[in-house]
Amino acid sequence: MHELGRLDELPQEYRDALSARNLVPLWPSLRAVLPPGKPQARTRPTYWNYQDLRPLLLRAGELTPMEKAERRVLVLANPGHGLEKMQASAAIYLGMQLLLPGEWAPAHRHTPNAVRMIVEGEGAYTTVNGEKCAMQRGDLILTPTGHWHEHGHEGEKPVVWLDVLDLPLVYYMEASYVIEGRPQTVQADSAERAYRRGGVVPSPVFERSRQSHPLLRYPWAEVRAALQALAQSQPDVEAVQVAYVNPETGADCMAILGYSALMLRPDETLTLPARSCAAVFHQIKGRATVRIADQVFELDDADTCCAPGYTPVTLANRSRTEPAFLFIADEAPLHKKLGIYEVCTEEKR
Ligand code: 1HN
């Protein structure tokens, strides 16, 4: 690929004349916006150790009362994007949120989609459009775009969860905003009971659910049981992985980011093919080694790391006796909708 003309090769009066008319020559920047063979990722392989950040999060609980925070969060920011951008990847935002006993995070709704993966503690809940969702370690709770949500805590010890949002994308689209609300009235029943078992959905004679997000809480006990059953029933399956889906349609549970849980059998090593989308790996339980390009991260309980797109990722269980469970968030639904999704089978030049 030959070199193109540089900006400094153009006469200053010509450049000034262009700028004055809001015009820009393409050729000095063409290689930057269209690099050969493979994108130039800002997203860097990055790792956050939970035991290391936990005291700082608890300290935020002493330094900043809820009234002054609304959401008490330490953002897991990727240095490749600049910390102030609060991005883990191009489309993914990650944050560790702390709620102390008796505290309450007021109701609001916003355009970015959020999910929460519960990390530690008991007795907290999120109410989403009137449905009170208990928060227990490993549970996944959805807060889709436009849904009212507030958090409360009736337990005794601090509760922490990982927030995953598509905020960077929605913000970039100039579509990010919030509406404040009043405390929600809690409904008597939950969708979780209506969608008690996969493969069987409520089917009234007249019509099926038209809700875009019929199920809001995916309890860890059920997801873990599904993984263990899959590992037992299909010992040859390449990856013991389940996707969090809409039980009515089987499609990704959220429109922009995809969510799944993966079990590494004792001693197992698994190489995920490079895909166009970035991904986040969060250790629900166990000890996994995550190799991303030339970086190696040793994940323990509640540790998190992120990988840029177009990069193979190798996961290895460090235990010879216990399974390791990972929660994965990726940008695959977004890439598929945009038509830019790729599984990279051969090495990019
Ligand atoms: C938000 O609404 C929550 O509701 C957490 O818990 C993190 C980060 C950015 C924008 C909105 C929450 C958030 C957020």
Side-chain angles (χ1 to χ4, degrees):
M1 228 180 218
H2 65 276
E3 239 175 78
L4 301 176
R6 295 194 314 270
L7 198 58
D8 61 12
E9 290 166 356
L10 298 170
Q12 189 60 49
E13 47 77 23
Y14 177 69
R15 289 159 61 181
D16 292 345
L18 292 180
S19 300
R21 291 162 181 80
N22 297 325
L23 296 169
V24 176
L26 173 62
W27 59 95
S29 305
L30 185 60
R31 296 281 187 256
V33 294
L34 215 55
K38 185 182 165 172
Q40 189 68 48
R42 271 188 295 274
T43 302
R44 281 190 216 153
T46 307
Y47 164 72
W48 297 270
N49 179 292
Y50 183 63
Q51 288 308 325
D52 183 48
L53 72 80
R54 188 176 180 276
L56 296 169
L57 186 57
L58 291 175
R59 187 123 177 264
E62 295 162 17
L63 294 170
T64 307
M66 275 309 279
E67 309 81 73
K68 290 279 183 191
E70 225 161 271
R71 299 297 192 264
R72 193 190 288 112
V73 178
L74 292 182
V75 178
L76 279 47
N78 193 305
H81 288 269
L83 299 183
E84 72 290 348
K85 291 280 171 51
M86 301 198 297
Q87 293 179 235
S89 73
I92 304 177
Y93 158 104
L94 297 174
M96 282 286 178
Q97 182 161 172
L98 170 69
L99 198 65
L100 296 171
E103 285 185 336
W104 181 66
H108 68 191
R109 61 190 177 101
H110 43 67
T111 43
N113 294 276
V115 308
R116 312 184 201 285
M117 166 54 52
I118 316 310
V119 169
E120 92 166 59
E122 268 168 35
Y125 61 90
T126 294
T127 305
V128 184
N129 272 8
E131 186 170 326
K132 188 170 175 176
C133 300
M135 295 172 127
Q136 276 160 13
R137 186 180 154 84
D139 291 352
L140 184 73
I141 299 172
L142 311 187
T143 309
T145 179
H147 285 52
W148 291 108
H149 55 285
E150 63 198 88
H151 318 302
H153 190 348
E154 295 157 347
E156 320 261 275
K157 291 189 182 143
V159 163
V160 178
W161 63 84
L162 177 70
D163 290 312
V164 187
L165 281 83
D166 49 21
L167 178 67
L169 176 77
V170 178
Y171 179 76
Y172 174 74
M173 300 302 290
E174 302 185 347
S176 179
Y177 70 98
V178 68
I179 294 176
E180 303 209 336
R182 288 195 295 269
Q184 299 164 73
T185 308
V186 174
Q187 296 161 13
D189 212 350
S190 76
E192 219 180 299
R193 284 155 61 91
Y195 293 93
R196 175 72 185 80
R197 195 166 170 80
V200 185
V201 297
S203 182
V205 180
F206 301 106
E207 60 179 322
R208 294 274 292 278
S209 170
R210 283 169 200 269
Q211 285 177 299
S212 52
H213 303 91
L215 184 60
L216 297 173
R217 176 169 181 263
Y218 298 75
W220 172 237
E222 306 267 343
V223 176
R224 186 185 51 212
L227 287 167
Q228 284 167 331
L230 178 59
Q232 273 182 4
S233 68
Q234 298 185 32
D236 297 330
V237 73
E238 254 177 304
V240 184
Q241 186 171 19
V242 294
Y244 295 89
V245 300
N246 175 332
E248 286 283 342
T249 63
D252 298 311
C253 67
M254 298 292 261
I256 295 176
L257 301 180
Y259 300 97
S260 61
L262 186 143
M263 176 178 134
L264 293 169
R265 291 165 279 213
D267 234 3
E268 179 176 358
T269 297
L270 179 70
T271 295
L272 307 175
R275 302 189 301 163
S276 53
C277 50
V280 167
F281 301 89
H282 171 82
Q283 188 88 50
I284 297 177
K285 183 129 190 64
R287 300 184 296 140
T289 299
V290 182
R291 179 186 292 274
I292 305 162
D294 57 352
Q295 301 268 8
V296 178
F297 304 129
E298 311 261 295
L299 270 59
D300 277 303
D301 282 7
D303 291 352
T304 307
C305 67
C306 74
Y310 297 89
T311 311
V313 175
T314 299
L315 308 170
N317 188 348
R318 300 207 299 286
S319 170
R320 308 208 135 174
T321 52
E322 300 297 318
F325 295 99
L326 290 160
F327 170 62
I328 302 176
D330 64 42
E331 300 167 335
L334 172 65
H335 278 224
K336 287 175 182 169
K337 287 190 171 86
L338 295 176
I340 58 169
Y341 181 78
E342 287 183 76
V343 180
C344 314
T345 44
E346 59 189 82
E347 195 62 26
K348 294 257 164 195
R349 264 166 300 144

